[in-house]
Amino acid sequence: MRRALAAGALLAALWWVLTEGAGGYGLGALFIALALAWVLRQPRTGTAPRLRGAIGFAAFFLRQSLLGGLQVARLALVPAARVRPQLLELRLNLPPGPATQLLAAALNLMPGTLCVHLAGRRLVLHVLDARMPVEPEVRAAEAQLARLFGFTS
Amino acid sequence: MTGLEGALALFLLANLAVALVRAARGPTAADRMLAALLFGSTGVGVLLLLAHVGTPPHMPIVDAALVLALLAAITGVAFALRAWSAEGEDDGGRS
Amino acid sequence: MGAAEGLSALLLLLGAFFYLAGTVGLLRFPDVYARLHALTKADNLGLGCVAAGLALQADSLAAALKLVLIWLLVLAASTVTAQAIARRAQELGVSPRLDAGSAHAVDGRDDA
């Protein structure tokens, strides 16, 4: 029931944004009902995102992607700057599944990390600048995702 | 709205042209795949700016940008699913 | 020029700056992996700034959120595509050009 309400609210908000608040709610209700029926038929993954975790993750992600863009800008535009790439292999604490896939996707937009291989808990990253402390950043992102999916309080 | 949008749209188009030439030159096939990324981020940026040349904004162009973004996302997911199924979900094939 | 208009122009210029950084990175970085860093991080931040700048000009909240939605879609598209390209490059046997001084440092730090 909670799942249906949350999905329904999200879909209604999506319709409102897509139509720029111009109405068309009769047609909207039809599409929302169809989409909701499809969503509720999907098997549960057991990892429902938490609202508070989502807000924390969004703030963390925005800050990190800003830093990521700034780092690339510095390495690209400062004449003396030079990339110092390396590969880094890590063992993740998160259970394999949506959480690790979202982690890899988020890391691609965070400073200096690009996922080149993810299988189970094994993650291989391409690191743009070997001088940056990448592992603490990955662990911080992991902790954020653990809160998002409710693996920790 | 301020006249800036048109100039910046042209600037982004120039970026897109230079980047596409670079991507097409390779040297590897993977370099040429970078073009897919360029249409997503730069292409959508150009469309959004063009929509806002003049007042009021031309919202149909924003919808075109939305569709381009959606297509880029679907392409990316299809590409990723292909890459996964090609390799399989092993836990340590690569040394 | 109002404050919102000024901030909007500033964000648009900042966006163009990040797009430029992404293009220069694409030209300057040594291999496909490093170029992926340039395109995913810089270009998406550029689009984020452009979308935010245009959202400030929007005449309704829904129209502004639509620009944010477009940005999020492109973010998702870029990160998934970049990862697939990196993976494909590995399969094709494209080995990343690594920094000689830190090739052995696997903990992400070296003392340079």
Side-chain angles (χ1 to χ4, degrees):
Chain A
M1 192 62 211
R2 275 191 62 153
R3 193 178 180 219
L5 278 177
L10 271 178
L11 287 166
L14 184 64
W15 181 262
W16 175 68
V17 168
L18 287 179
T19 56
E20 294 153 45
Y25 290 108
L27 192 60
L30 179 66
F31 278 106
I32 292 167
L34 283 174
L36 195 57
W38 181 80
V39 167
L40 293 178
R41 282 177 58 127
Q42 301 303 304
R44 285 166 182 271
T45 54
T47 49
R50 312 290 160 100
L51 183 62
R52 278 181 67 171
I55 294 168
F57 175 70
F60 173 79
F61 174 78
L62 274 180
R63 210 193 77 216
Q64 292 291 310
S65 49
L66 182 64
L67 292 175
L70 285 171
Q71 188 203 22
V72 164
R74 184 178 60 77
L75 288 169
L77 297 176
V78 174
R82 184 156 288 118
V83 297
R84 303 184 58 179
Q86 70 164 359
L87 290 178
L88 175 65
E89 184 172 337
L90 289 167
R91 220 165 162 80
L92 299 175
N93 300 317
L94 290 170
T100 50
Q101 280 164 17
L102 187 57
L103 174 72
L107 286 173
N108 292 340
L109 296 164
M110 291 184 186
T113 49
L114 173 74
C115 172
V116 294
H117 188 91
L118 172 66
R121 289 176 190 262
R122 184 168 161 272
L123 174 72
V124 182
L125 293 173
H126 181 269
V127 176
L128 192 55
D129 187 344
R131 285 158 296 189
M132 282 224 3
V134 165
E135 186 160 356
E137 182 195 312
V138 176
R139 297 300 172 200
E142 260 196 306
Q144 288 286 344
L145 280 169
R147 274 195 287 277
L148 173 63
F149 287 111
F151 298 135
T152 58
S153 56
Chain B
M1 193 178 261
T2 49
L4 194 58
E5 290 81 4
L8 289 184
L10 283 177
F11 176 74
L12 290 202
L13 269 178
N15 269 277
L16 182 60
V18 170
L20 278 178
V21 169
R22 178 64 194 84
R25 284 176 58 186
T28 68
D31 285 275
R32 287 188 284 277
M33 294 175 204
L34 294 176
L37 278 174
L38 290 165
F39 282 116
S41 53
T42 316
V44 168
V46 170
L47 282 177
L48 287 184
L49 285 166
L50 285 178
H52 287 75
V53 174
T55 14
H58 308 286
M59 291 315 281
I61 309 185
V62 175
D63 289 332
L66 179 69
V67 171
L68 184 59
L70 206 55
L71 283 176
I74 292 168
T75 310
V77 169
F79 190 17
L81 287 177
R82 241 184 109 114
W84 280 332
S85 63
E87 192 160 331
E89 289 294 320
D90 64 313
D91 199 342
R94 210 188 57 88
S95 62
Chain C
M1 189 191 269
E5 226 169 298
L7 186 59
S8 167
L10 193 70
L11 280 168
L12 292 182
L13 287 171
L14 199 61
F17 167 79
F18 282 117
Y19 272 111
L20 176 68
T23 305
V24 174
L26 180 68
L27 297 177
R28 232 189 118 182
F29 288 174
D31 63 11
V32 65
Y33 301 98
R35 287 180 202 129
L36 279 169
H37 283 273
L39 288 187
T40 47
K41 293 163 186 73
D43 279 18
N44 283 311
L45 192 52
L47 181 62
C49 291
V50 167
L54 296 175
L56 284 176
Q57 302 179 11
D59 41 31
S60 72
L61 178 62
L65 287 176
K66 194 180 208 174
L67 294 169
V68 175
L69 178 69
I70 291 172
W71 179 55
L72 290 176
L73 267 176
V74 174
L75 276 188
S78 297
T79 182
V80 170
T81 308
Q83 200 170 322
I85 292 175
R87 187 166 205 152
R88 187 82 189 109
Q90 290 248 312
E91 286 167 14
L92 289 170
V94 182
S95 49
R97 240 180 265 181
L98 301 179
D99 186 50
S102 61
H104 58 278
V106 282
D107 64 345
R109 274 151 291 179
D110 66 4
D111 37 20

